[in-house]
Amino acid sequence: MADGRLAQIRVGVLGSGEVGRRLAEGFHSRGHDVMIGSRDPAKADLREWLSGGGVGIEAGTFAQTATHGELLVLAVLGDAAEDAIDDAGAANFTGKVVIDAMNPLDFSGGFPPKLSICGEDSLGERVQRALPDAKVVKAFNTIGNPYFVDPGFSDGQPTMLIAGDDDAAKRTVTDVLADFGWSDTIDIGGIEASRELEAICIAWVKIGGARGAWDHGFKLLVG
């Protein structure tokens, strides 16, 4: 990272929903070569976005996107993550930093959702087990997607919490976050800390439901 900017790289974002699109736009706005992956890269709403907010971003299959990216982002629905990895081909993730921006949400009982994976496991851990030769870092899952890039809050900027087993990968993700405008990032440990980060998402959703607004985050105060 030089002059506060992450060196330009190829980025693959697997998942073309709101989370994936926002992250793809963020990386593209910083000058990176971005491909967004979908099971159906020709679907109408994705093509419409590519001609609007996604101008300059390519679309491909999950396998094409995983091959394209030097850095990869998983941004599909949480319970579809392992299927997306299978579709993309685990070998295409080998040696790469993989940002897990997902939460395993279960809305079967209505709102607020529960976690579909909890206790002595987490989605972050399942992703790392599915990708033993990749370096998975949990990030972005405790904040609303409108605030992923250039976050602005009237009460000050919240803290971004990350977790993962590889220290160098976490430094890379911290650089990404700094480039996106996050001045306060805290590493809370190995990938098993995804259990706490995914639980924080449920708290974030409940707070949003109680407030009727989603412009909030969690701030770590020290001292």
Side-chain angles (χ1 to χ4, degrees):
M1 192 168 182
D3 300 322
R5 302 304 299 270
L6 187 69
Q8 292 186 4
I9 55 173
R10 296 190 310 278
V11 178
V13 179
L14 285 79
S16 59
E18 291 183 5
V19 170
R21 293 181 190 187
R22 182 64 182 132
L23 288 169
E25 289 171 357
F27 279 106
H28 183 258
S29 74
R30 269 52 179 179
H32 301 293
D33 177 359
V34 182
M35 178 178 285
I36 193 166
S38 171
R39 287 190 174 86
D40 179 11
K43 62 184 179 181
D45 66 317
L46 179 56
R47 305 314 300 186
E48 181 179 358
W49 173 76
L50 290 168
S51 65
V55 166
I57 297 169
E58 295 181 78
T61 64
F62 286 150
Q64 289 169 331
T65 301
T67 300
H68 173 85
E70 300 169 89
L71 181 149
L72 298 175
V73 181
L74 280 168
V76 299
L77 293 176
D79 289 342
E82 290 166 289
D83 287 341
I85 289 169
D86 286 343
D87 288 348
N92 290 323
F93 295 79
T94 298
K96 298 177 182 180
V97 174
V98 178
I99 298 175
D100 167 14
M102 304 173 294
N103 288 297
L105 300 181
D106 175 6
F107 285 92
S108 63
F111 184 92
K114 301 179 295 183
L115 292 175
S116 61
I117 305 167
C118 58
E120 298 302 308
D121 202 4
S122 65
L123 180 59
E125 290 169 277
R126 290 191 181 185
V127 169
Q128 183 64 84
R129 289 198 297 271
L131 297 172
D133 298 317
K135 305 163 188 176
V136 178
V137 180
K138 193 86 178 181
F140 292 106
N141 76 301
T142 59
I143 198 77
N145 69 78
Y147 305 100
F148 286 170
V149 184
D150 297 322
F153 295 82
S154 58
D155 293 331
Q157 190 184 97
T159 301
M160 178 65 77
L161 303 175
I162 67 172
D165 291 338
D166 187 279
D167 288 340
K170 288 188 283 191
R171 287 193 294 271
T172 296
V173 175
T174 299
D175 285 348
V176 168
L177 289 163
D179 200 14
F180 279 13
W182 288 87
S183 59
D184 188 19
T185 298
I186 301 295
D187 170 8
I188 69 166
I191 196 64
E192 71 278 359
S194 296
R195 301 173 192 181
E196 288 75 34
L197 294 188
E198 291 164 14
I200 286 173
C201 171
I202 299 298
W204 182 87
V205 170
K206 288 183 176 181
I207 291 167
R211 293 179 64 233
W214 304 95
D215 56 340
H216 59 278
F218 299 94
K219 178 67 177 176
L220 180 65
L221 299 177
V222 180

